[in-house]
Amino acid sequence: MFWYSVSIGQAEGGTAPTLVSDSTRGQVMQSGSGKGWAKTANPLQGKDLDGFTVGAWVKANAVDTWNGIWSISSGTGNTDGFYGLSTNGSLYFNDRPVNNTTYQDMKEFGGTITTGGWVYITVVMDGQKISMYKDGLLAKELTPSTSGVKPGQGTPYMLGFVSNWQYLYFGTASPHYWNSGDFYLDDLKVYDKALTGAEVLGEYLADAVTAQAFVDADLAALTLPGTAIESLTLPTAGESGYTTITWQSNNETVIANDGTVTRPNVKTTVELTATISLGEIQEEQIFTVKVPASNDSSDLKYYAQQLTLCAG
């Protein structure tokens, strides 16, 4: 397996895409206008494909069934076939636009992309179906029809064309018919295999911006009681389920790293440091917990209250 991170490449037609600075993701591609696009070599050309994957961060300013984001194509003429993604998430395949010999307008994927911020869109084609993932999770699946000339002949037929086409276009789902969409694009990657759901999620979580957001959110949600009489349950995973948490006590004889509390002879304050991590991103938070001195009479009263609460 490989992934191929592409640059903007050669600009053609209309107002070409440009590189701009984004407050969230740094330098990104801003789409052009009209029939404006850029292209580079198709990294899948010449490969014997059983499947492939295209993943990219997309921020749509507007969504449209026919305005494109990217496509793999043999060119811009009306005889040049293409496979591409539009700004609302629809997918299109056409082996020969001049006479629509075999095509599939896969509008079933429409609505996956919406306006409102960055999303990670991954499109996977294998020998049976096409799957679309949004932010690492499966959004929609389609098994293209193999009956008749239209609307298509299944993904094995499509894979043969994708591996022969020469270019990867940015800014249009078809350099033949449609205009560029209004969007931003970042970190487009092409893989010469159909990624599994777990691999797609892994790619999403490996993104530094994503990982930082999950770490920050899970750290903000993490709490501990200010006083501990009984052993603490220290979570080892964040609220999102994606981050991991490790603990370090500065006084393990009173509160161990696993949360076990051993009551001291005198009231003691312990610092517990939580390290929350996702990939290469990690943050720390120190929690201060007071452990009262062991006292038989007050402890009996405490445990009696607990029993009463349980009975009620």
Side-chain angles (χ1 to χ4, degrees), residues 260-276:
T260 300
V261 172
T262 303
R263 298 281 294 283
N265 293 326
V266 295
K267 183 172 75 172
T268 303
T269 298
V270 179
E271 289 185 349
L272 290 171
T273 301
T275 301
I276 187 163

Side-chain angles (χ1 to χ4, degrees), residues 228-230 263-264 292-307:
I229 293 178
E230 299 180 284
R263 298 281 294 283
S294 180
N295 184 300
D296 291 342
S297 60
S298 62
D299 289 351
L300 284 172
K301 181 178 180 181
Y302 167 80
Y303 289 117
Q305 289 174 336
Q306 297 301 107
L307 290 171

Side-chain angles (χ1 to χ4, degrees), residues 197-242:
E199 289 172 329
V200 171
L201 179 60
E203 285 295 310
Y204 170 66
L205 296 177
D207 177 74
V209 175
T210 299
Q212 187 69 62
F214 277 120
V215 166
D216 290 345
D218 286 356
L219 193 60
L222 190 60
T223 61
L224 284 183
T227 301
I229 293 178
E230 299 180 284
S231 294
L232 299 169
T233 300
L234 300 179
T236 57
E239 192 173 84
S240 68
Y242 297 136

